Amino acid sequence: MAVIFCGAMITDAQTIYDPNVVPTITSKQIKELGQQHQKFPSSVIVLDFEGLGDYDAINGFYNGGTSGDGYSGTNYGIEFSVALGIIDSDAGGSGNFANEPSPSTIMFFIGASQAQMNVAAGFSTGFSVFYCSSVAGSIEVYDGLDGTGNLLGSVSLPPNIGSCTGDPNGTYCQWDPVSVPFSGTAKSVVFVGAENAIGFDNVTFGSITPGPTPGVPISNWAIFIGIFLIGAFMVVRFRRTLA
Ligand SMILES: [Ca+2]
Ligand SMILES: [Ca+2]
Ligand SMILES: [Ca+2]
């Protein structure tokens, strides 16, 4: 009996959705998460999944519609199927993860071994995302909707669950960036893995570099360098004036 009990505990600990956690996050708090959008460059679209509910079917959240729980995000013309949003248990949800690239919501799937994303208007250049997985997975990009047509590009995703810690709880704690460069126009992306065992965040279009993680103040550095250059220019001008 003890062995079976121990095995069950390990299994629970290694899934993204933890059924033993009772979510406490309120609808108001979920909407506030959605309003705290990361500052991404306007030339790229980043789906950070913030504003989705806990264990919430994404559906038309990014397509002018609603998620399963009735939330709405920006209308990017992107429709998801099978995929769910889930919120970190440290933020009041039921997600067993940490260090997610944009707190506190990620995308995962359950009840199937893959999830899909359709972009009816098509997209080009490339596609990138952060992932964390306890199983081998892959991402496939197709030129037809629903994973049909020609395979334009793919990337395999080795397990990377690691033995890290963070924020302060969560087994799925290591997030690696991957990109799928391709030529042509893509209309769907298929996320392949195993149910409840692979998570994604910061799905980024128009760039092969996924949206920056929090705590990387790229814009601050740009401001700092700008101030330095202006200061150096003024010193040079001042010295010339004296001369
Ligand atoms: Ca977190
Ligand atoms: Ca956590
Ligand atoms: Ca996120």
Side-chain angles (χ1 to χ4, degrees):
M1 281 298 288
V3 172
I4 293 166
F5 178 65
C6 186
M9 280 186 68
I10 290 168
T11 302
D12 284 349
Q14 290 186 337
T15 58
I16 290 178
Y17 164 63
D18 185 345
N20 299 317
V21 172
V22 178
T24 57
I25 193 164
T26 64
S27 178
K28 181 170 176 283
Q29 289 170 323
I30 289 168
K31 286 175 182 164
E32 283 168 358
L33 274 178
Q35 285 156 7
Q36 293 166 5
H37 276 297
Q38 310 288 321
K39 297 293 179 197
F40 299 115
S42 57
S43 58
V44 298
I45 291 173
V46 181
L47 310 184
D48 61 12
F49 303 109
E50 303 311 317
L52 283 156
D54 185 60
Y55 204 92
D56 182 14
I58 301 172
N59 299 344
F61 181 84
Y62 289 115
N63 198 20
T66 57
S67 68
D69 289 348
Y71 298 103
S72 290
T74 304
N75 182 1
Y76 293 122
I78 299 169
E79 182 82 18
F80 281 83
S81 56
V82 183
L84 300 157
I86 188 165
I87 298 171
D88 192 344
S89 61
D90 292 314
S94 58
N96 173 26
F97 54 85
N99 311 324
E100 64 279 10
S102 53
S104 295
T105 315
I106 64 161
M107 182 270 272
F108 85 125
F109 49 86
I110 207 157
S113 59
Q114 62 182 51
Q116 284 159 219
M117 180 178 78
N118 279 333
V119 186
F123 67 101
S124 55
T125 303
F127 161 83
S128 54
V129 67
F130 287 92
Y131 84 100
C132 182
S133 184
S134 59
V135 296
S138 63
I139 297 172
E140 299 166 356
V141 178
Y142 292 89
D143 67 1
L145 294 171
D146 299 315
T148 62
N150 300 302
L151 178 66
L152 299 181
S154 67
V155 62
S156 57
L157 309 174
N160 63 347
I161 194 166
S163 57
C164 38
T165 57
D167 79 0
N169 305 297
T171 305
Y172 288 75
C173 52
Q174 179 176 321
W175 297 83
D176 290 321
V178 289
S179 63
V180 193
F182 59 86
S183 55
T185 300
K187 291 200 171 175
S188 64
V189 175
V190 181
F191 301 89
V192 183
E195 69 162 345
N196 212 0
I198 186 167
F200 300 89
D201 203 5
N202 287 17
V203 171
T204 303
F205 298 92
S207 171
I208 55 167
T209 308
T213 54
V216 183
I218 292 169
S219 58
N220 290 359
W221 274 104
I223 291 167
F224 181 78
I225 291 167
I227 290 170
F228 175 79
L229 289 174
I230 291 167
F233 176 76
M234 288 176 74
V235 166
V236 169
R237 282 298 298 258
F238 183 67
R239 283 189 176 168
R240 282 186 181 169
T241 305
L242 284 180

